[in-house]
Amino acid sequence: MLLYRISRCCRRIYVKLLHTVFHALAIPCIVLGFMAVLDYHNLSDPPIPNFYSIHSWMGFVTMGLFALQFVVGFFSFLLLLCCESSTAGFRASLVPIHATFGLTTFMMAIATCLTGLTQKAFFTFGNDYYHSMTNESIVMNTLAMVLIAAGILVPYVLHSPIDFRYYGRTLVPDRDI
């Protein structure tokens, strides 16, 4: 999402393609993570039920939103470019919807991570979690704070009127010799 904000000097088609590539690279990670969770639940002794917590349901909704976003974005913004003049109005009307659902999916992913960390903390540490600050609990709390910071900073950067582009500056002025 931040690509559109920081790379305004590039041609828009290149930014779209890079945006698509990054999201396409996320798909194998999502599939691998989902398969790992299912294997962990199903192969445990005794097996752990699937989709029993708010974390699992939020993860399922987040994966669905991501898949829907990817399919709609791929077909409407990349494939419809072949007939650009006739689909320009339609694609322009989808941009705010796509951007809103993209940010919603990002925030859902952060919320899902936070509920997963909380669930893991209660299952691992029980009631003693907040009384004994082990190394693992410090790492979990730090990760949670980084996720919360990302959930605050990314929407701010996306909707801020400030221009966050990098402008290269020469430290040594050019001189005619």
Side-chain angles (χ1 to χ4, degrees), residues 8-26:
R8 293 182 179 168
C9 60
C10 300
R11 292 187 58 203
R12 189 144 178 95
I13 188 66
Y14 296 138
V15 178
K16 281 184 183 184
L17 289 173
L18 195 56
H19 180 77
T20 305
V21 166
F22 281 147
H23 282 85
L25 290 173

Side-chain angles (χ1 to χ4, degrees), residues 15-139:
V15 178
K16 281 184 183 184
L17 289 173
L18 195 56
H19 180 77
T20 305
V21 166
F22 281 147
H23 282 85
L25 290 173
I27 292 172
C29 298
I30 294 167
V31 170
L32 188 65
F34 188 68
M35 289 173 42
V37 167
L38 287 179
D39 282 349
Y40 176 75
H41 281 221
N42 295 335
L43 300 176
S44 291
D45 190 28
I48 302 170
N50 295 309
F51 298 107
Y52 67 94
S53 67
I54 190 71
H55 168 68
S56 57
W57 283 99
M58 286 175 70
F60 193 67
V61 169
T62 303
M63 287 189 303
L65 282 173
F66 180 85
L68 184 67
Q69 276 288 97
F70 188 80
V71 169
V72 168
F74 184 80
F75 284 110
S76 63
F77 296 112
L78 287 178
L79 288 185
L80 291 180
L81 283 177
C82 60
C83 44
E84 186 172 352
S85 59
S86 60
T87 62
F90 173 72
R91 286 183 295 115
S93 67
L94 279 181
V95 169
I97 297 167
H98 184 71
T100 301
F101 274 97
L103 186 58
T104 302
T105 304
F106 175 73
M107 297 304 283
M108 280 290 297
I110 288 178
T112 302
C113 291
L114 292 174
T115 58
L117 286 171
T118 304
Q119 180 177 318
K120 175 67 175 167
F122 285 127
F123 285 158
T124 301
F125 303 114
N127 292 333
D128 297 330
Y129 175 66
Y130 291 106
H131 300 295
S132 62
M133 291 298 286
T134 62
N135 288 340
E136 187 176 3
S137 65
I138 292 170
V139 169

